Amino acid sequence: EVQLVESGGGLVQPGRSLRLSCAASGFTFDDYAMHWVRQVPGKGLEWVSGISWSSGSVGYADSVKGRFTISRDNAKSSLYLQMNSLRTEDMALYYCAKDMGPVWRRASLDYWGQGTLVTVSS
Amino acid sequence: QSALTQPASVSGSPGQSITISCTGTSSDVGGYSYVSWYQHHPGNAPKLLIYDVSNRPSGVSDRFSGSKSGNTASLTISGLQAEDEADYYCSSYTSSTTLVFGGGTKLTVL
């Protein structure tokens, strides 16, 4: 059974940093691209970032480019999102999601975690 | 990158068919075959319904189908059931090397 478990969310002040993690199991992690998607409660989904199976290709939404960094450790079957210079508009539920293929541009997210909540407030 | 345009809400009666549109530009929906659709029951994880415009993952009911014409993609749900009531989102790869979601459509089964 595919499982994606996010962690690392919490309350953080504007301008500070936070690192999200996603522990994957139930599939061969290094065969697939991975993504982070966020959702402000009551609002729509927003793609944040994607990374290919080998980390050779990454992509970011314009809203986080230069502030967030996606990475993965295939040996640990883990995905990460380093979030720096956080803003109040980054406050959301952050989902980790698996792609059906090895490259992130295909955007076929077939398994999702339950999300971890990030609150940005002073 | 602007969100793809979806109707805010659609409704239908059990057994009927409905179609949800997803309008973008030649830089996203119209330019690539990387269009996906997701069903999201609030409080649960989103579920992939359609990928690559019209392909269904294994386990997804054939009541769900996808298509594309020009810059607009569509999701059709036939034989509406009460459990189809949910939020639906489209997504597409873009020429800016990003992914973009639609604003979401709330489906109400009357």
Side-chain angles (χ1 to χ4, degrees):
Chain A
E1 178 193 6
V2 172
Q3 288 198 345
L4 299 168
V5 180
E6 302 94 338
S7 61
L11 174 63
V12 62
Q13 293 179 327
R16 303 298 291 267
S17 298
L18 207 60
R19 189 194 195 207
L20 304 184
S21 299
C22 172
S25 62
F27 64 101
T28 305
F29 184 73
D30 53 10
D31 278 350
Y32 300 97
M34 298 292 295
H35 300 261
W36 289 99
V37 177
R38 67 186 181 185
Q39 184 177 33
V40 174
K43 302 295 185 182
L45 300 174
E46 180 187 13
W47 178 78
V48 174
S49 184
I51 186 168
S52 67
W53 67 279
S54 65
S55 304
S57 175
V58 298
Y60 298 96
D62 290 344
S63 57
V64 307
K65 199 171 295 184
R67 299 187 299 122
F68 290 12
T69 302
I70 190 171
S71 62
R72 63 189 296 162
D73 185 336
N74 287 345
K76 295 182 178 179
S77 296
S78 293
L79 176 72
Y80 306 101
L81 185 68
Q82 178 66 43
M83 304 186 295
N84 298 332
S85 303
L86 280 162
R87 306 168 179 169
T88 54
E89 54 264 37
D90 295 320
M91 188 159 55
L93 183 67
Y94 282 73
Y95 292 103
C96 162
K98 169 190 169 293
D99 203 294
M100 290 183 71
V103 295
W104 62 266
R105 61 183 280 170
R106 195 178 186 185
S108 49
L109 284 59
D110 61 347
Y111 289 93
W112 299 59
Q114 290 298 317
T116 185
L117 186 62
V118 172
T119 302
V120 184
S121 175
S122 54
Chain B
Q1 180 65 47
S2 299
L4 304 175
T5 300
Q6 299 181 230
S9 64
V10 298
S11 63
S13 300
Q16 287 186 330
S17 294
I18 63 95
T19 296
I20 299 172
S21 61
C22 170
T23 302
T25 68
S26 58
S27 295
D28 38 64
V29 173
Y32 303 93
S33 294
Y34 299 143
V35 176
S36 297
W37 288 91
Y38 301 87
Q39 177 190 63
H40 190 202
H41 290 101
N44 291 346
K47 175 184 178 181
L48 177 66
L49 295 176
I50 299 289
Y51 67 96
D52 293 355
V53 176
S54 60
N55 293 315
R56 271 188 314 276
S58 60
V60 172
S61 171
D62 59 5
R63 298 188 299 107
F64 296 93
S65 62
S67 63
K68 188 181 81 167
S69 177
N71 298 335
T72 299
S74 299
L75 172 72
T76 298
I77 308 174
S78 59
L80 266 181
Q81 299 178 0
E83 57 262 38
D84 297 333
E85 186 161 294
D87 298 322
Y88 291 83
Y89 296 89
C90 61
S91 73
S92 174
Y93 179 72
T94 84
S95 62
S96 303
T97 61
T98 64
L99 301 181
V100 63
F101 280 95
T105 298
K106 181 176 179 58
L107 169 62
T108 300
V109 180
L110 303 170

